[in-house]
Amino acid sequence: MYIYYNDKTDYLEVLEKKVKNYSVPLKNGLFRIFTEKGNKPIGYAVENVSKRQKDLDIFDPFVKLSIMIKISRLKHHYTQQQIATKLDMGLLPYQRLESGKNNPTLKTLLKVKEVLPDLDLSKVA
């Protein structure tokens, strides 16, 4: 999974794979992304994502958590390496956490919350 977030426009894209694509509006500011060939849905895009937490319910909780962590990290202007160091974990495990490929423990989530205090874990489920 690929999570792209532009903090200047508060725009989020979550893609299953990197391919040429196009999007179709689902509702105001929420889009489904399709492959250029074959019309297979491969992801979603959300405008003003920081203010639209409810629209993130289209994602499973692990993806939603990954999105929220990435947005918070970028808002604090941290690199992945800086966060990994603060969490006392390697870069690769952190990248897996941020990409939704890792099932974090409660201990890890509490550490992340300490480093990124604006992260609201109550909005994950």
Side-chain angles (χ1 to χ4, degrees):
M1 173 183 18
Y2 302 92
I3 300 171
Y4 302 100
Y5 175 69
N6 181 325
D7 59 341
K8 292 177 180 44
T9 59
D10 198 22
Y11 179 76
L12 171 77
E13 281 189 0
V14 179
L15 299 171
E16 291 176 20
K17 53 187 168 181
K18 293 181 183 178
V19 294
K20 289 188 177 186
N21 60 65
Y22 67 95
S23 61
V24 174
L26 291 176
K27 62 181 182 179
N28 188 26
L30 182 64
F31 304 87
R32 182 173 287 140
I33 300 173
F34 292 90
T35 59
E36 187 178 53
K37 301 175 184 177
N39 289 345
K40 181 181 181 243
I42 58 164
Y44 294 89
V46 184
E47 294 175 343
N48 300 316
V49 68
S50 295
K51 298 174 184 129
R52 302 176 67 146
Q53 293 293 321
K54 195 128 180 94
D55 285 330
L56 296 181
D57 289 343
I58 59 175
F59 302 107
D60 74 51
F62 291 113
V63 173
K64 190 173 178 180
L65 174 64
S66 300
I67 291 166
M68 292 169 61
I69 290 171
K70 183 164 190 170
I71 289 173
S72 181
R73 174 181 65 81
L74 291 172
K75 284 185 175 181
H76 289 289
H77 305 287
Y78 290 132
T79 65
Q80 287 183 329
Q81 182 62 62
Q82 288 171 320
I83 293 289
T85 301
K86 289 177 180 281
L87 294 173
D88 196 29
M89 67 172 30
L91 178 58
L92 185 59
Y94 177 77
Q95 289 172 329
R96 289 169 126 2
L97 172 67
E98 193 173 286
S99 70
K101 295 178 183 171
N102 192 359
N103 186 357
T105 64
L106 178 58
K107 185 177 178 181
T108 299
L109 289 177
L110 292 174
K111 281 183 174 180
V112 170
K113 178 71 176 148
E114 284 178 22
V115 174
L116 301 169
D118 62 324
L119 185 66
D120 186 355
L121 297 175
S122 70
K123 295 182 178 180
V124 173

